[in-house]
Every structure is written in C-alpha cells, then in structure tokens.
C-alpha cells in the first residue's frame, strides 16, 4: 500500500533522511494489504463458478495480483509510465472478471480505486463515490444482488489509502521543513562565527599592532618600559586566541566593563586621550553585553581610521555614544559596522554612524528608540 500511494511518488524533495514508511520491509507489508481483495474475489468465484469458468476466473485473479505487484513497484520507483500502464491492465482484468465474479469483482475495483484516487486530488472523492455506486448498480443491472459489502469495502479502503497518502505527504513536508531549519541554523551559525571573529580579531590585532609599534619606539630609545609593552602584546595574543576559541564554540564573554578597560589601554597605547566612563551601573543589564560589542568596534575603528587625539564614550541606561575628534572616518559600509548593525537590530535597537561637524565621527546606539 505504501509503495502504491500516489500523490507522493511525484514529490521528490531532498531531505536529510528518507521516509522510513516507504522503504524496507514496511513497504512490502503495507503493499500486501490490498492483496486481500483479489483473494476474496477468487474465493467468491470458487463459490459461483465451475470447470473452465472457474479456471478462467482464477487465472484473471492471478494476473490481477501480478499487475498489482507491477503497480506497487512502479509507484515505489516513481515511474509514472509503468504505473499508468499497470492501471490500464488492472482495469481490463476487472472488466474481464465482472461476468464471472459479478459483485465480487468490485473487490478488484477497490484495489484500482485505492491506487488511483490519491493521484487525482481534485477527482479522488468523486472517483470513490462512483466506484461505490457502481458496486451497487452494475450487479443489479446484471440481475444479481447489489454489492453492499463490496461498496463499503471500496469506499472505506480507498479513503483509508487516501488518508495514508496525505500522512506521507505531510511527513515528507515536515522532514523537508526540518532540513531547511537545519540549513538556516547552519548558515546563521557560520554568520555568527564570521561576525564574532571579525569583531574579536579586529580589536585584538589592532591593539597588538599599536602596542608593538609603541614597544619598538621605546626599545629604540632604550626605555625599559618597552619590556612591559611586549609583555602586554603577549597577553593580548593569548587573549585573542582564547576569544577565537570561545567564538567558535559559541561562548563569548564580552562585558561592557571589560571592553571599556581594554579600550582605555588601547587608546593610551595609540596616544589618544581617553574620556571613558569608569562605571557601567547606569546601563540596563540587558544591554551591557551589546554595548560591550559596540565599544569594542567603535574604539577599534577610532584607533584604525580616525587619526584622533581624543575619544569620548557616553553611556545612559539605554543609549551609548562613541565620539572622536579625528579627521578620518571609519568605513561605514565595512563588515565591522555591518555586523554591529545586525547585532543591534537583532536586539531591537538602532545604530547610527556618521561624521560630525566640523570634524570627528559619531557612533550611536539606542535601544527602544531612534538613536
């Protein structure tokens, strides 16, 4: 029955796992269910026919079983041509059995309708109703008892197979939806890792570069503090490695207080006067991690691009501003600000970045209101 369920054989969605009800021994067990009806027809022929007519009737039933096997195989292999041919053969065998089996021949029609109705969603119900009516009317026209049992069997079985086909279609749709969710989650995770690596390494490598240059200048002048700066570079390198591992594994420890402390040291090494808050209690706890990312990106851009002499960070409960007096501007269309804009949008806030008059740059984030 499973291999014969149409309506599903023309739907070949790629999924992460096959439909277990259409493969293996389950398919053959379910397919064998409809073979009960040809056997019932053969038993009815044995009661009403003798001699050559009995042999002919059983021959028709045997050929019908073989034709049903072909239809089940064609449906399982999704071969529409073979399936249509097998349905034609089964219909001809049903018509040949009708003069011999009378009403019992409609057990064969039950198989045909059960195979065909799910393939014709628009006409399936009409086909089932027509088959049930024919089981009552045709034997009566031939002056035999109407096939009440045959009509009930035809309608019930065809509707059951139709419902089974719908269940398979729904199951496949769910499997495909699950596969799509997995794919989207994988893409989102790749985007997260790329964004985190950019933000983490951009800040760390900028700090390492600035401190290395400072240490070189101090070493040339013979200042002992150069050793301290090289030690700081080593510490930053270790921290960068730990940050990369944390980003890849999904655990990021970014805090606003920590980023302000790192930023103050980064600005000092770059020779930029840092006017940064010393406390973060004023900021809503729900926004502190996000604001930490903003401070990291904003101060990194100031050191990289601004050519500034002073940088200021202003904090309120739901707003943050990074201001500098430089002449250069961060690349507003760069991946850093784009990634930051995505973070802010996901958190329900808004980011603005642009030049100040007469000089400088402003990066502003506001949560719950335009910046």
């Amino acid at each position: 029955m499973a291999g014969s369920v149409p309506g599903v054989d023309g739907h070949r969605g790629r999924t992460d796992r096959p439909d277990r009800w259409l493969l293996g021994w389950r398919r053959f067990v379910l397919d064998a269910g409809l073979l009960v009806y040809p056997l019932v027809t053969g038993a009815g022929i044995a009661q009403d026919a003798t001699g050559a007519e009995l042999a002919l009737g059983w021959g028709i039933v045997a050929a019908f079983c073989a034709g049903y096997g072909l239809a089940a195989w064609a449906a399982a292999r999704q071969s529409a041509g073979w399936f249509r041919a097998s349905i034609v053969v089964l219909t001809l065998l049903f018509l040949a059995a009708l003069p011999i089996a009378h009403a019992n021949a409609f057990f064969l029609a039950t198989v045909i309708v059960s195979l065909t109705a799910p393939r014709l969603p628009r006409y399936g119900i009409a086909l089932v109703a027509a088959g049930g009516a024919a089981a009552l009317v045709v034997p009566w026209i031939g002056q035999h008892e109407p096939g009440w049992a045959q009509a009930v069997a035809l309608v019930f079985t065809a509707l059951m197979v139709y419902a089974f086909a719908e269940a398979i279609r729904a199951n496949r749709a769910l499997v495909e939806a699950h596969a799509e969710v997995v794919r989207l989650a994988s893409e989102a995770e790749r985007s997260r890792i790329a964004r985190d690596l950019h933000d983490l390494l951009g800040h760390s490598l900028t700090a390492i570069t600035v401190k290395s240059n400072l240490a070189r200048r101090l070493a040339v002048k013979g200042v002992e503090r150069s050793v301290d700066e090289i030690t700081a570079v080593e510490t930053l390198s270790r921290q960068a490695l730990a940050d990369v591992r944390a980003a890849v594994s999904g655990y990021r420890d970014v805090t606003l207080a920590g980023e302000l402390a790192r930023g103050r040291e980064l600005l000092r090494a770059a020779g930029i006067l840092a006017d940064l808050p010393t406390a973060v209690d004023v900021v809503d706890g729900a926004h502190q991690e996000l604001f930490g990312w903003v401070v990291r990106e904003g101060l990194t851009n100031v050191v990289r691009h601004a050519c500034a002499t002073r940088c200021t960070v202003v904090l309120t409960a739901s707003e943050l501003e990074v201001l500098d007096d430089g002449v250069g501007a961060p690349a507003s269309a760069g991946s850093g600000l784009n990634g930051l804009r995505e973070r802010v949008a996901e958190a329900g806030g808004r980011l603005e970045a642009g030049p100040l008059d007469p000089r400088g740059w402003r990066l502003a984030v506001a949560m719950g209101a335009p910046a």
Side-chain angles (χ1 to χ4, degrees):
M1 193 189 304
S4 324
V5 201
V8 296
D9 60 349
H11 183 71
R12 303 189 73 168
R14 295 190 62 179
T15 63
D16 57 348
R17 65 175 181 86
D19 192 325
R20 64 192 184 101
W21 291 105
L22 292 181
L23 298 176
W25 61 270
R26 296 178 181 86
R27 189 193 72 202
F28 297 106
V29 171
L30 293 170
D31 284 342
L34 286 180
L35 287 176
V36 170
Y37 292 109
L39 296 179
V40 173
T41 299
I45 292 174
Q47 292 179 354
D48 299 334
T50 58
E53 188 178 55
L54 176 61
L56 176 61
W58 280 356
I60 292 173
V61 170
F64 190 93
C65 291
Y68 171 71
L70 175 63
W73 173 86
R77 296 298 183 274
Q78 302 186 3
S79 175
W82 280 103
F83 186 85
R84 285 193 292 267
S86 62
I87 291 297
V88 171
V89 171
L90 292 178
T91 302
L92 293 176
L93 291 172
F94 158 70
L95 294 175
L98 194 56
I100 303 173
H102 309 302
N104 285 327
F106 281 91
F107 285 121
L108 303 181
T110 297
V111 176
I112 298 171
V113 174
S114 296
L115 293 176
T116 308
R119 286 181 177 268
L120 305 170
R122 292 186 177 181
Y123 311 105
I125 300 299
L127 181 61
V128 172
L136 298 174
V137 175
V138 172
W140 176 73
I141 293 176
Q143 299 182 350
H144 298 280
E145 290 293 326
W148 292 101
Q150 292 80 357
V152 171
L154 187 151
V155 172
F156 176 78
T157 304
L159 291 179
M160 182 183 67
V161 173
Y162 188 88
F164 185 76
E166 289 298 316
I168 290 178
R169 275 193 287 266
N171 182 60
R172 282 188 169 175
L174 288 174
V175 171
E176 291 182 353
H178 174 72
E180 181 67 10
V181 168
V182 170
R183 184 187 67 81
L184 292 176
S186 177
E187 289 184 358
E189 180 65 5
R190 284 196 295 269
S191 297
R192 180 195 69 79
I193 291 175
R195 184 178 63 192
D196 287 0
L197 288 178
H198 175 277
D199 294 346
L200 292 167
L201 290 181
H203 173 87
S204 299
L205 294 179
T206 298
I208 290 171
T209 301
V210 170
K211 283 187 168 291
S212 297
N213 288 334
L214 177 59
R216 178 180 55 80
R217 293 196 303 270
L218 293 175
V220 169
K221 296 178 181 178
V223 180
E224 293 183 359
R225 193 163 64 88
S226 61
V227 177
D228 296 334
E229 296 298 334
I230 289 297
T231 302
V233 169
E234 179 184 4
T235 301
L236 284 171
S237 299
R238 295 181 184 276
Q239 182 61 47
L241 179 59
D243 287 344
V244 168
R245 289 172 176 168
V248 172
S249 62
Y251 299 98
R252 307 180 302 279
D253 185 18
V254 175
T255 64
L256 178 57
E259 294 307 319
L260 286 172
R262 293 189 186 98
R264 184 176 287 105
E265 180 63 19
L266 175 64
L267 294 173
R268 182 196 65 78
I272 301 174
L273 180 61
D275 182 8
L276 308 184
T278 57
V280 297
D281 297 344
V282 65
V283 179
D284 190 324
H287 306 325
Q288 288 205 11
E289 180 180 350
L290 175 63
F291 282 8
W293 285 109
V294 176
V295 168
R296 176 186 287 259
E297 178 66 21
L299 298 188
T300 299
N301 282 337
V302 170
V303 173
R304 278 182 175 176
H305 307 290
C307 300
T309 60
R310 184 184 184 89
C311 177
T312 302
V313 173
V314 180
L315 291 175
T316 67
S318 59
E319 296 182 1
L320 180 149
E321 281 188 319
V322 179
L323 308 165
D324 68 73
D325 62 353
V327 294
S332 59
S335 58
L337 281 179
N338 286 339
L340 190 61
R341 187 171 283 108
E342 291 176 4
R343 289 183 192 276
V344 173
E346 289 172 3
R350 181 170 177 176
L351 179 146
E352 289 185 357
L356 294 173
D357 188 21
R359 56 181 292 164
W361 186 268
R362 172 179 178 265
L363 171 66
V365 170
M367 307 304 297

